[in-house]
Amino acid sequence: MNRKIDGTFFEFRHHNTPEGKYWNPALERFTASEWREKVKEISALGMEYIVVMATALYDRCYFRSSVFPFAEMPCENPIEEILSQADECGVKVFLGNGFYGDWRRAGENIKSQAVIDRSFRAMEELAELYGHHESFYGWYFPDETCIILRFSKDFIKYVNLCSARCRELTPEKKTLIAPYGTNLVLSSDYFVRSLAETDVDFIAYQDEVGVKKTKVGRTEKIFEKLRRAHDKAGRAELWADIELFDFEGMVYKSALIPAPFERIRKQIENAAPYADKILSYQYLGLMNPEGSTAFAGHEGSVKLYEDYRKYLGK
């Protein structure tokens, strides 16, 4: 039986405007029923996890908050719709605690007391509003910084601070990060020590194939090194975060489009022996069933959906 993708990142708007060319316009018009339909589609492919990347973006929140004004959108309570539908589908949802600062300045955000204070106030409100949902499984910290051979002291401090606050607010919830820089990782004692110091439940490493930092043929060795490091550190579960996209033009400066499934299949196979779970970036915008009533993304997303469905034997 082929190894499946266990979950997907999810967003109400793609933060990088050129990259979101093919789905941001659709998401801006989504109604409550369309947000719920996306959760149903994701569940129908056997995905068990949804990671809501950001609960705020560009000084607007996707829920009623004292931190920022509500983002203008047709759906009055998109997070409620996602969680309610996930309750029905048995899907586990992580809610992001960003972006309460400029998403392009993660290195500054993790050291800014003002940004951290805003994110903590938002987390309190999110816990109050949505903590009753069975599907609300955990928190995701999206202000990622590059590993550069190990997690930096600033990043470890930030993650540990966030995890401690999460446990105070919601002791039963899990925590997740998804760092980049995995092409630089070594299974050295230096990295293992930083890993052991990082207080988080799951680390979903970006495979960096879509952003062209890593070639597909290298990813198995990378995840093998990460597996050794995690086993030595005895800390967080090792998850993979595989990239389902290509760029239409320049990296980071053009639209994201679906990658060929043959490439994605190799990405899955390379991570599978080492990763406890495989997440993807991302279903939304890059996969759509034919005739979807909540279509968002490039026209090639139908082919990717169908190719993956056949791979699963569905």
Side-chain angles (χ1 to χ4, degrees):
M1 186 175 181
N2 291 324
R3 177 71 179 268
K4 68 173 183 174
I5 296 172
D6 297 291
T8 178
F9 282 82
F10 194 97
E11 57 197 10
F12 298 110
R13 183 185 189 279
H14 190 66
H15 51 287
N16 182 316
T17 300
E19 290 181 359
K21 169 184 172 181
Y22 288 111
W23 64 84
N24 275 346
L27 300 189
E28 288 167 5
R29 299 189 298 270
F30 264 20
T31 62
S33 63
E34 287 168 316
W35 287 117
R36 296 179 76 100
E37 184 61 24
K38 279 299 166 204
V39 178
K40 292 178 190 175
E41 290 176 10
I42 289 165
S43 176
L45 279 185
M47 296 188 193
E48 306 167 53
Y49 299 92
I50 285 175
V51 183
V52 175
M53 186 165 177
T55 49
L57 184 65
Y58 294 120
D59 297 345
R60 295 290 184 271
C61 285
Y62 296 111
F63 63 102
R64 306 294 172 178
S65 172
S66 65
V67 181
F68 294 137
F70 181 67
E72 291 300 320
M73 54 197 314
C75 181
E76 288 294 311
N77 197 341
I79 295 176
E80 174 64 31
E81 301 301 337
I82 300 303
L83 289 167
S84 294
Q85 189 60 59
D87 288 343
E88 294 182 25
C89 293
V91 171
K92 302 178 180 74
V93 179
F94 292 88
L95 292 182
N97 79 333
F99 291 107
Y100 293 92
D102 188 332
W103 66 268
R104 293 161 293 196
R105 297 177 178 174
E108 296 175 23
N109 293 342
I110 64 175
K111 294 184 286 186
S112 166
Q113 194 59 52
V115 173
I116 291 170
D117 286 347
R118 285 198 294 270
S119 73
F120 281 9
R121 182 149 48 103
M123 286 168 63
E124 291 169 10
E125 294 174 350
L126 288 162
E128 178 70 22
L129 287 167
Y130 306 114
H132 63 283
H133 282 283
E134 185 178 351
S135 59
F136 182 5
Y137 182 69
W139 300 94
Y140 165 61
F141 312 143
D143 276 311
E144 306 287 4
T145 58
C146 189
I147 296 172
I148 312 180
L149 305 184
R150 62 158 285 158
F151 295 126
S152 72
K153 290 181 179 179
D154 286 333
F155 185 62
I156 293 170
K157 181 180 178 182
Y158 163 74
V159 170
N160 292 358
L161 190 66
C162 290
S163 289
R165 186 64 185 129
C166 289
R167 280 196 295 274
E168 289 172 1
L169 285 172
T170 52
E172 75 286 2
K173 306 297 184 200
K174 301 297 185 180
T175 54
L176 168 73
I177 58 174
Y180 65 99
T182 49
N183 64 311
L184 303 173
V185 163
L186 301 173
S187 54
S188 63
D189 290 343
Y190 192 51
F191 176 66
V192 171
R193 282 197 300 272
S194 76
L195 185 56
E197 292 168 8
T198 306
D199 181 14
V200 69
D201 292 306
F202 312 122
I203 304 180
Y205 295 90
Q206 299 175 30
D207 74 354
E208 301 183 315
V209 172
V211 295
K212 304 188 187 306
K213 292 179 182 177
T214 305
K215 293 190 180 297
V216 178
R218 289 191 60 222
T219 58
E220 182 173 8
K221 287 293 184 184
I222 290 170
F223 281 108
E224 183 182 17
K225 288 179 183 178
L226 289 168
R227 181 77 271 168
R228 286 202 302 269
H230 272 250
D231 290 345
K232 286 180 184 177
R235 192 52 150 173
E237 280 193 25
L238 192 167
W239 289 15
D241 173 12
I242 66 167
E243 297 176 343
L244 306 183
F245 58 84
D246 267 332
F247 284 89
E248 194 169 46
M250 291 179 64
V251 174
Y252 299 123
K253 295 183 179 180
S254 65
L256 299 182
I257 59 175
F261 182 68
E262 278 310 303
R263 192 200 82 185
I264 293 167
R265 181 179 187 132
K266 292 174 185 174
Q267 291 171 257
I268 296 170
E269 290 171 349
N270 288 351
Y274 311 104
D276 298 298
K277 298 289 182 183
I278 298 176
L279 300 181
S280 60
Y281 194 90
Q282 64 179 11
Y283 177 92
L284 195 67
L286 298 170
M287 285 187 177
N288 282 286
E290 189 171 8
S292 171
T293 59
F295 192 97
H298 189 270
E299 60 184 10
S301 60
V302 174
K303 179 173 177 8
L304 179 54
Y305 178 96
E306 186 62 19
D307 287 346
Y308 180 63
R309 186 189 66 78
K310 289 177 181 176
Y311 163 83
L312 293 177
K314 287 184 174 287

